[in-house]
Amino acid sequence: MTNKRELSERDICTKYILPALVKAGWDVERQIREEVFFTDGRIYVKGNRTARGERKRADYILYYKPNIPVAVIEAKDNNHEVGDGMQQALSYASILDIPVALSSNGDNFLEHDRTGSSGVVEQHRGLDDFPSPEELWAKYKIYKGIKTTDQECVASYDYFYDGSGRAPRYYQQIAINRAVEAIAKEQNRVLLVMATGTGKTYTAFQIIYRLWKNGTKKRILFLADRNALIRQTKRGDFKHFKEKMTVIRHKKIDKAYEIYLALYQGLTNSSGQEDAFREFSPDFFDLIVVDECHRGSAADDSAWRVVLEYFSSATQIGLTATPKETEQVSNIEYFGEPLYTYSLKQGIEDGFLAPYKVIRVGINVDLEGWRPEQGKTDNRGTPVEDRLYNSKDFDKNLVIDERTSLVARKVMEYLRIAGELSKTIVFCIDIEHAERMRQAIANVAPDLTKENPKFVMRITGDEEEGKRELDNFIDPEETHPVVAVTSKLLTTGVDVQTCKLIVLDSSIRSMTEFKQIIGRGTRINEDFGKTFFAIMDFRNVTDLFADPAFDGDPVMVKEVAANDELSSEDVEGVGEDEIIDSESGKTIDFGPSASEDDAELYETPEIVEGGGIVAQPAAKIYVAGVSVSVLNERHQYLDQNGHLIIESLKDFTRKGLRKEFQTLDEFLNRWQAADKKQVLIDELELQGVILENLWTEVKKELDVFDLICHVAWDKPALTRRERAARVKKRNYFEKYGEKARAVLIALLDKYADNGIEDIEELSILRAPPINGLGTPAEIISMFGGKDGYLKALSELENEVYKLAA
């Protein structure tokens, strides 16, 4: 007879848990999913390399119907108590919006009822007493407040499935179910907040499909504010509506359809004529979905609000990544509190959105202002008004040719390192600024422009040629255009999966606009090598990271000198320390180094969002011959809590080191006593002392030991190569045989290149040129075994730090 305690967790699932589910009436094919991975695993960035952490995985998820989960089960082997998996099960139940969590070790089940409806929160259930599908469905209805048969019919209606295998991600599933359930309970205003890149349109499609197919909502209007959004929606997720769907164009109304896609500009008239939407009766539509609803529906006097209020009897759903909440404008006031929110931060943590780095470039005229010298004239010979100009003026009121050229040069310095064909969006002040920036980038990249004149293009509302290339820019298969220079056209609704660089040369102070712009880079496309992106900030826009409303911190924030050429460290960062996966707690292995309606509305400077006309701005002043360079150079990084360090990085690090080590002697003793120096470095990181950031500021190839001594106690520092050279001058190696000596010298060279942490791992023996001296087993045998090898390595480290202080 098999001893249950000798069985693995998977054996417990197969022999005890699954049979109990089947006996209780659960359908293996339709209602039971085993080992369900519901996140993709966070993407970690180290230099220019990325790796994924572990995905979240539930042992079992039970579904009353596909995409309607009612219970999650965590399994343990029989050496655990029955409740040992409960905390994990509850965590997953909370994330997945599931009412019942269970844990089992194969003896029985512990059930946690999150509805609290029975008066007993947790109870034991025998293997022969597992709850049936109807029992858990009853708990789900209590959990969701579903009370009538009609509500149940709507809430349980099938999702769309086309046989392709595509299914909603867990957060989309939650958003869809909550929206459908709320509407089933006759809630007529719904707000869903989902970060850019998380599939709002697909979510909207599934909501519309379920309500339309079961007859709850018969005529639906999908409203957007960009033609690109309408095109993407029609060709993409909504294509399954086929002949039942139409796009309202040129304000021509045909009432024979059931699903309507429209720009709100296509439904309203600004010329004083009758609005096109009034051709429909006020009760024509049963459901209206407003995409990017932060754009206009939030304001009382907006064109969107006029449309929505005309169709006030319809159920209305607002979709946005960035709800507007100000004293004057509120999405929540109109739609109500968000029914569900899936943030940028959550998307990055789950591995569905790309993490990003930030490079901040400080330009002297921006940081300290520019005042024209006496008699200074503009490019037409007109005297320039004598006052102090600052970053708010540049490219809006006053143009400095040299500043434009510097920004273009920095962009190309980045691309020369990161990849010349890396898709890039440059955000400028206005259309005129965008055209000058296009010219400037073309001038600093003559080779790439000559090779293909579409290397850099202006894609703005008034530029027909550029707009015709928008689809090619979006298409991952198309290499050109590479650099899209714009002002407002690409801030929202454009899905650029392979965008790897976003350049900010526009004074953006709106958190809503900032999040939308960042969203242009958050999509992931691993097939084309897009796993993270960078933001190059010339206007201190990324100061918005400090705003409490911001919810997705970058993996690196670095300020560089504007008149220094970008290095690979500036672009990639320095990343040699270990990174621990937040899900598994394991060290991440990165492997080896290796003509449109919206145009008129949003791109013409004199038209504002609400549709009103404002005065034309004064003519710009163009000047040249201004010295544009760097005011200073400093680095900014995030501390362990994700907050920007605003003091000197050296001072910040010195405080942290002296807090950890009271004296230099204390540090020396702990350093020498550490079997692995990396362990001590990791301890410092936990205290918020991130030495990786400091190396780029010190700009020396210092050993971590010397870096600490130099920063904390002002000791003279040797570079790694200097330390290695001193060891080689001594007769230390003579006691070893020829082959062992060659190994130690190769290890010393590796130390000189990469640091002490690199040689402490046995995996170094597989790296060239050491692997040319033998297999790891052969190398270890040269020292009489593993203990002998580790002893020799320890002695080598002692020689490196001999008379160190």
Side-chain angles (χ1 to χ4, degrees), residues 45-74:
V45 183
K46 190 173 187 180
N48 64 350
R49 292 174 289 161
T50 60
R52 283 195 181 268
E54 285 194 10
R55 298 181 288 171
K56 285 185 169 65
R57 179 186 66 85
D59 291 323
Y60 289 93
I61 297 180
L62 305 183
Y63 296 81
Y64 182 68
K65 297 185 73 174
N67 293 301
I68 303 179
V70 293
V72 59
I73 307 172
E74 278 302 300

mmCIF file of all heavy atoms in Angstrom, residues 45-74:
data_model
loop_
_atom_site.group_PDB
_atom_site.id
_atom_site.type_symbol
_atom_site.label_atom_id
_atom_site.label_comp_id
_atom_site.label_asym_id
_atom_site.label_seq_id
_atom_site.Cartn_x
_atom_site.Cartn_y
_atom_site.Cartn_z
ATOM 1 N N VAL A 45 15.064 43.978 -15.857
ATOM 2 C CA VAL A 45 16.033 44.575 -16.769
ATOM 3 C C VAL A 45 17.370 44.713 -16.068
ATOM 4 O O VAL A 45 17.450 45.196 -14.938
ATOM 5 C CB VAL A 45 15.561 45.975 -17.244
ATOM 6 C CG1 VAL A 45 16.548 46.551 -18.255
ATOM 7 C CG2 VAL A 45 14.171 45.891 -17.849
ATOM 8 N N LYS A 46 18.416 44.249 -16.737
ATOM 9 C CA LYS A 46 19.772 44.327 -16.198
ATOM 10 C C LYS A 46 20.686 44.742 -17.342
ATOM 11 O O LYS A 46 20.975 43.943 -18.220
ATOM 12 C CB LYS A 46 20.193 42.974 -15.634
ATOM 13 C CG LYS A 46 21.479 42.988 -14.831
ATOM 14 C CD LYS A 46 21.680 41.624 -14.194
ATOM 15 C CE LYS A 46 22.867 41.621 -13.242
ATOM 16 N NZ LYS A 46 23.059 40.301 -12.616
ATOM 17 N N GLY A 47 21.112 46.002 -17.330
ATOM 18 C CA GLY A 47 21.848 46.511 -18.476
ATOM 19 C C GLY A 47 20.929 46.515 -19.688
ATOM 20 O O GLY A 47 19.843 47.075 -19.668
ATOM 21 N N ASN A 48 21.351 45.846 -20.763
ATOM 22 C CA ASN A 48 20.505 45.757 -21.951
ATOM 23 C C ASN A 48 19.869 44.376 -22.086
ATOM 24 O O ASN A 48 19.333 44.024 -23.127
ATOM 25 C CB ASN A 48 21.317 46.088 -23.214
ATOM 26 C CG ASN A 48 22.428 45.082 -23.448
ATOM 27 O OD1 ASN A 48 22.716 44.248 -22.592
ATOM 28 N ND2 ASN A 48 23.070 45.174 -24.601
ATOM 29 N N ARG A 49 19.967 43.588 -21.023
ATOM 30 C CA ARG A 49 19.374 42.250 -21.032
ATOM 31 C C ARG A 49 18.106 42.217 -20.184
ATOM 32 O O ARG A 49 17.972 42.983 -19.242
ATOM 33 C CB ARG A 49 20.377 41.215 -20.498
ATOM 34 C CG ARG A 49 21.587 40.989 -21.402
ATOM 35 C CD ARG A 49 22.595 40.074 -20.732
ATOM 36 N NE ARG A 49 23.265 40.738 -19.621
ATOM 37 C CZ ARG A 49 23.914 40.098 -18.649
ATOM 38 N NH1 ARG A 49 23.939 38.787 -18.639
ATOM 39 N NH2 ARG A 49 24.508 40.773 -17.687
ATOM 40 N N THR A 50 17.209 41.316 -20.545
ATOM 41 C CA THR A 50 15.988 41.147 -19.765
ATOM 42 C C THR A 50 15.751 39.669 -19.514
ATOM 43 O O THR A 50 16.236 38.807 -20.244
ATOM 44 C CB THR A 50 14.756 41.739 -20.487
ATOM 45 O OG1 THR A 50 14.586 41.081 -21.749
ATOM 46 C CG2 THR A 50 14.895 43.228 -20.690
ATOM 47 N N ALA A 51 15.011 39.395 -18.462
ATOM 48 C CA ALA A 51 14.593 38.025 -18.155
ATOM 49 C C ALA A 51 13.280 38.101 -17.408
ATOM 50 O O ALA A 51 12.993 39.085 -16.728
ATOM 51 C CB ALA A 51 15.654 37.307 -17.319
ATOM 52 N N ARG A 52 12.488 37.056 -17.512
ATOM 53 C CA ARG A 52 11.194 37.032 -16.832
ATOM 54 C C ARG A 52 11.299 36.300 -15.503
ATOM 55 O O ARG A 52 12.003 35.297 -15.377
ATOM 56 C CB ARG A 52 10.135 36.350 -17.690
ATOM 57 C CG ARG A 52 9.611 37.218 -18.824
ATOM 58 C CD ARG A 52 8.340 36.634 -19.393
ATOM 59 N NE ARG A 52 7.803 37.402 -20.508
ATOM 60 C CZ ARG A 52 6.919 38.369 -20.379
ATOM 61 N NH1 ARG A 52 6.470 38.710 -19.181
ATOM 62 N NH2 ARG A 52 6.460 39.010 -21.447
ATOM 63 N N GLY A 53 10.575 36.824 -14.531
ATOM 64 C CA GLY A 53 10.422 36.122 -13.274
ATOM 65 C C GLY A 53 9.357 35.043 -13.413
ATOM 66 O O GLY A 53 8.802 34.823 -14.488
ATOM 67 N N GLU A 54 9.083 34.353 -12.308
ATOM 68 C CA GLU A 54 8.097 33.272 -12.353
ATOM 69 C C GLU A 54 6.681 33.820 -12.483
ATOM 70 O O GLU A 54 6.355 34.887 -11.972
ATOM 71 C CB GLU A 54 8.206 32.406 -11.099
ATOM 72 C CG GLU A 54 9.417 31.489 -11.104
ATOM 73 C CD GLU A 54 9.323 30.413 -10.048
ATOM 74 O OE1 GLU A 54 8.245 30.250 -9.442
ATOM 75 O OE2 GLU A 54 10.339 29.728 -9.820
ATOM 76 N N ARG A 55 5.855 33.047 -13.162
ATOM 77 C CA ARG A 55 4.445 33.397 -13.307
ATOM 78 C C ARG A 55 3.665 32.926 -12.080
ATOM 79 O O ARG A 55 4.026 31.935 -11.442
ATOM 80 C CB ARG A 55 3.870 32.742 -14.561
ATOM 81 C CG ARG A 55 4.524 33.201 -15.845
ATOM 82 C CD ARG A 55 3.884 32.540 -17.063
ATOM 83 N NE ARG A 55 4.241 31.130 -17.149
ATOM 84 C CZ ARG A 55 3.682 30.283 -18.018
ATOM 85 N NH1 ARG A 55 2.737 30.718 -18.848
ATOM 86 N NH2 ARG A 55 4.065 29.031 -18.064
ATOM 87 N N LYS A 56 2.605 33.644 -11.772
ATOM 88 C CA LYS A 56 1.700 33.187 -10.718
ATOM 89 C C LYS A 56 0.908 31.992 -11.235
ATOM 90 O O LYS A 56 0.383 32.021 -12.349
ATOM 91 C CB LYS A 56 0.757 34.322 -10.286
ATOM 92 C CG LYS A 56 1.405 35.388 -9.411
ATOM 93 C CD LYS A 56 0.372 36.399 -8.931
ATOM 94 C CE LYS A 56 0.941 37.316 -7.845
ATOM 95 N NZ LYS A 56 2.016 38.165 -8.345
ATOM 96 N N ARG A 57 0.820 30.950 -10.388
ATOM 97 C CA ARG A 57 0.163 29.720 -10.826
ATOM 98 C C ARG A 57 -0.741 29.177 -9.737
ATOM 99 O O ARG A 57 -0.318 28.989 -8.591
ATOM 100 C CB ARG A 57 1.206 28.658 -11.178
ATOM 101 C CG ARG A 57 0.618 27.318 -11.623
ATOM 102 C CD ARG A 57 1.708 26.281 -11.822
ATOM 103 N NE ARG A 57 2.364 25.944 -10.572
ATOM 104 C CZ ARG A 57 1.906 25.027 -9.705
ATOM 105 N NH1 ARG A 57 0.765 24.397 -9.948
ATOM 106 N NH2 ARG A 57 2.574 24.766 -8.606
ATOM 107 N N ALA A 58 -1.987 28.945 -10.093
ATOM 108 C CA ALA A 58 -2.925 28.296 -9.179
ATOM 109 C C ALA A 58 -2.994 26.815 -9.523
ATOM 110 O O ALA A 58 -2.994 26.443 -10.707
ATOM 111 C CB ALA A 58 -4.311 28.929 -9.301
ATOM 112 N N ASP A 59 -3.028 25.965 -8.497
ATOM 113 C CA ASP A 59 -3.096 24.521 -8.763
ATOM 114 C C ASP A 59 -4.386 24.143 -9.478
ATOM 115 O O ASP A 59 -4.383 23.345 -10.416
ATOM 116 C CB ASP A 59 -2.962 23.745 -7.442
ATOM 117 C CG ASP A 59 -1.561 23.854 -6.865
ATOM 118 O OD1 ASP A 59 -0.600 23.857 -7.652
ATOM 119 O OD2 ASP A 59 -1.439 23.963 -5.632
ATOM 120 N N TYR A 60 -5.501 24.679 -9.004
ATOM 121 C CA TYR A 60 -6.783 24.459 -9.669
ATOM 122 C C TYR A 60 -7.603 25.737 -9.641
ATOM 123 O O TYR A 60 -7.623 26.442 -8.630
ATOM 124 C CB TYR A 60 -7.620 23.375 -8.957
ATOM 125 C CG TYR A 60 -7.116 21.969 -9.093
ATOM 126 C CD1 TYR A 60 -6.255 21.436 -8.126
ATOM 127 C CD2 TYR A 60 -7.529 21.156 -10.147
ATOM 128 C CE1 TYR A 60 -5.796 20.133 -8.232
ATOM 129 C CE2 TYR A 60 -7.078 19.847 -10.250
ATOM 130 C CZ TYR A 60 -6.211 19.341 -9.302
ATOM 131 O OH TYR A 60 -5.766 18.053 -9.409
ATOM 132 N N ILE A 61 -8.314 26.013 -10.753
ATOM 133 C CA ILE A 61 -9.381 27.004 -10.749
ATOM 134 C C ILE A 61 -10.624 26.306 -11.296
ATOM 135 O O ILE A 61 -10.563 25.623 -12.330
ATOM 136 C CB ILE A 61 -9.052 28.238 -11.599
ATOM 137 C CG1 ILE A 61 -7.835 28.978 -11.019
ATOM 138 C CG2 ILE A 61 -10.236 29.198 -11.639
ATOM 139 C CD1 ILE A 61 -7.428 30.219 -11.803
ATOM 140 N N LEU A 62 -11.714 26.445 -10.577
ATOM 141 C CA LEU A 62 -12.977 25.838 -10.980
ATOM 142 C C LEU A 62 -13.893 26.906 -11.572
ATOM 143 O O LEU A 62 -14.025 27.995 -11.015
ATOM 144 C CB LEU A 62 -13.662 25.177 -9.783
ATOM 145 C CG LEU A 62 -12.827 24.149 -9.005
ATOM 146 C CD1 LEU A 62 -13.668 23.521 -7.893
ATOM 147 C CD2 LEU A 62 -12.286 23.067 -9.938
ATOM 148 N N TYR A 63 -14.526 26.579 -12.695
ATOM 149 C CA TYR A 63 -15.375 27.509 -13.421
ATOM 150 C C TYR A 63 -16.800 26.954 -13.506
ATOM 151 O O TYR A 63 -16.999 25.791 -13.893
ATOM 152 C CB TYR A 63 -14.854 27.731 -14.845
ATOM 153 C CG TYR A 63 -13.493 28.376 -14.900
ATOM 154 C CD1 TYR A 63 -12.335 27.610 -14.724
ATOM 155 C CD2 TYR A 63 -13.354 29.735 -15.117
ATOM 156 C CE1 TYR A 63 -11.077 28.193 -14.770
ATOM 157 C CE2 TYR A 63 -12.101 30.329 -15.167
ATOM 158 C CZ TYR A 63 -10.970 29.558 -14.983
ATOM 159 O OH TYR A 63 -9.729 30.141 -15.030
ATOM 160 N N TYR A 64 -17.777 27.788 -13.155
ATOM 161 C CA TYR A 64 -19.157 27.373 -13.365
ATOM 162 C C TYR A 64 -19.440 27.288 -14.862
ATOM 163 O O TYR A 64 -20.043 26.335 -15.352
ATOM 164 C CB TYR A 64 -20.114 28.359 -12.692
ATOM 165 C CG TYR A 64 -21.563 27.962 -12.839
ATOM 166 C CD1 TYR A 64 -22.056 26.826 -12.189
ATOM 167 C CD2 TYR A 64 -22.435 28.704 -13.633
ATOM 168 C CE1 TYR A 64 -23.383 26.439 -12.338
ATOM 169 C CE2 TYR A 64 -23.762 28.339 -13.772
ATOM 170 C CZ TYR A 64 -24.236 27.194 -13.124
ATOM 171 O OH TYR A 64 -25.545 26.821 -13.268
ATOM 172 N N LYS A 65 -18.979 28.337 -15.592
ATOM 173 C CA LYS A 65 -18.962 28.346 -17.043
ATOM 174 C C LYS A 65 -17.629 28.944 -17.454
ATOM 175 O O LYS A 65 -16.978 29.621 -16.652
ATOM 176 C CB LYS A 65 -20.126 29.171 -17.618
ATOM 177 C CG LYS A 65 -21.503 28.627 -17.280
ATOM 178 C CD LYS A 65 -22.595 29.418 -17.977
ATOM 179 C CE LYS A 65 -22.630 29.111 -19.458
ATOM 180 N NZ LYS A 65 -23.788 29.766 -20.120
ATOM 181 N N PRO A 66 -17.177 28.697 -18.694
ATOM 182 C CA PRO A 66 -15.895 29.263 -19.095
ATOM 183 C C PRO A 66 -15.811 30.763 -18.809
ATOM 184 O O PRO A 66 -16.734 31.518 -19.123
ATOM 185 C CB PRO A 66 -15.845 28.972 -20.609
ATOM 186 C CG PRO A 66 -16.665 27.735 -20.759
ATOM 187 C CD PRO A 66 -17.785 27.877 -19.756
ATOM 188 N N ASN A 67 -14.709 31.183 -18.180
ATOM 189 C CA ASN A 67 -14.417 32.568 -17.829
ATOM 190 C C ASN A 67 -15.265 33.109 -16.682
ATOM 191 O O ASN A 67 -15.264 34.307 -16.426
ATOM 192 C CB ASN A 67 -14.544 33.498 -19.053
ATOM 193 C CG ASN A 67 -13.477 33.219 -20.090
ATOM 194 O OD1 ASN A 67 -12.292 33.319 -19.803
ATOM 195 N ND2 ASN A 67 -13.895 32.816 -21.272
ATOM 196 N N ILE A 68 -15.977 32.209 -15.981
ATOM 197 C CA ILE A 68 -16.681 32.608 -14.762
ATOM 198 C C ILE A 68 -16.161 31.732 -13.628
ATOM 199 O O ILE A 68 -16.699 30.657 -13.342
ATOM 200 C CB ILE A 68 -18.210 32.477 -14.915
ATOM 201 C CG1 ILE A 68 -18.699 33.317 -16.097
ATOM 202 C CG2 ILE A 68 -18.916 32.923 -13.627
ATOM 203 C CD1 ILE A 68 -20.200 33.231 -16.349
ATOM 204 N N PRO A 69 -15.042 32.131 -12.989
ATOM 205 C CA PRO A 69 -14.424 31.299 -11.958
ATOM 206 C C PRO A 69 -15.151 31.417 -10.623
ATOM 207 O O PRO A 69 -15.559 32.512 -10.224
ATOM 208 C CB PRO A 69 -13.008 31.870 -11.864
ATOM 209 C CG PRO A 69 -13.172 33.313 -12.227
ATOM 210 C CD PRO A 69 -14.294 33.366 -13.242
ATOM 211 N N VAL A 70 -15.303 30.289 -9.936
ATOM 212 C CA VAL A 70 -16.033 30.290 -8.665
ATOM 213 C C VAL A 70 -15.187 29.807 -7.495
ATOM 214 O O VAL A 70 -15.542 30.041 -6.334
ATOM 215 C CB VAL A 70 -17.323 29.438 -8.770
ATOM 216 C CG1 VAL A 70 -18.313 30.088 -9.728
ATOM 217 C CG2 VAL A 70 -17.013 28.007 -9.218
ATOM 218 N N ALA A 71 -14.064 29.132 -7.772
ATOM 219 C CA ALA A 71 -13.230 28.639 -6.667
ATOM 220 C C ALA A 71 -11.794 28.442 -7.126
ATOM 221 O O ALA A 71 -11.540 28.145 -8.307
ATOM 222 C CB ALA A 71 -13.782 27.326 -6.112
ATOM 223 N N VAL A 72 -10.861 28.606 -6.183
ATOM 224 C CA VAL A 72 -9.448 28.322 -6.429
ATOM 225 C C VAL A 72 -8.968 27.347 -5.363
ATOM 226 O O VAL A 72 -9.355 27.445 -4.199
ATOM 227 C CB VAL A 72 -8.608 29.625 -6.424
ATOM 228 C CG1 VAL A 72 -8.719 30.366 -5.091
ATOM 229 C CG2 VAL A 72 -7.153 29.345 -6.758
ATOM 230 N N ILE A 73 -8.153 26.377 -5.765
ATOM 231 C CA ILE A 73 -7.650 25.356 -4.840
ATOM 232 C C ILE A 73 -6.129 25.348 -4.874
ATOM 233 O O ILE A 73 -5.529 25.317 -5.956
ATOM 234 C CB ILE A 73 -8.156 23.941 -5.226
ATOM 235 C CG1 ILE A 73 -9.673 23.920 -5.359
ATOM 236 C CG2 ILE A 73 -7.679 22.907 -4.198
ATOM 237 C CD1 ILE A 73 -10.215 22.607 -5.927
ATOM 238 N N GLU A 74 -5.521 25.373 -3.696
ATOM 239 C CA GLU A 74 -4.079 25.196 -3.581
ATOM 240 C C GLU A 74 -3.798 23.835 -2.965
ATOM 241 O O GLU A 74 -4.372 23.478 -1.931
ATOM 242 C CB GLU A 74 -3.464 26.311 -2.745
ATOM 243 C CG GLU A 74 -3.215 27.591 -3.513
ATOM 244 C CD GLU A 74 -2.314 27.388 -4.710
ATOM 245 O OE1 GLU A 74 -1.155 26.943 -4.514
ATOM 246 O OE2 GLU A 74 -2.759 27.639 -5.844
#
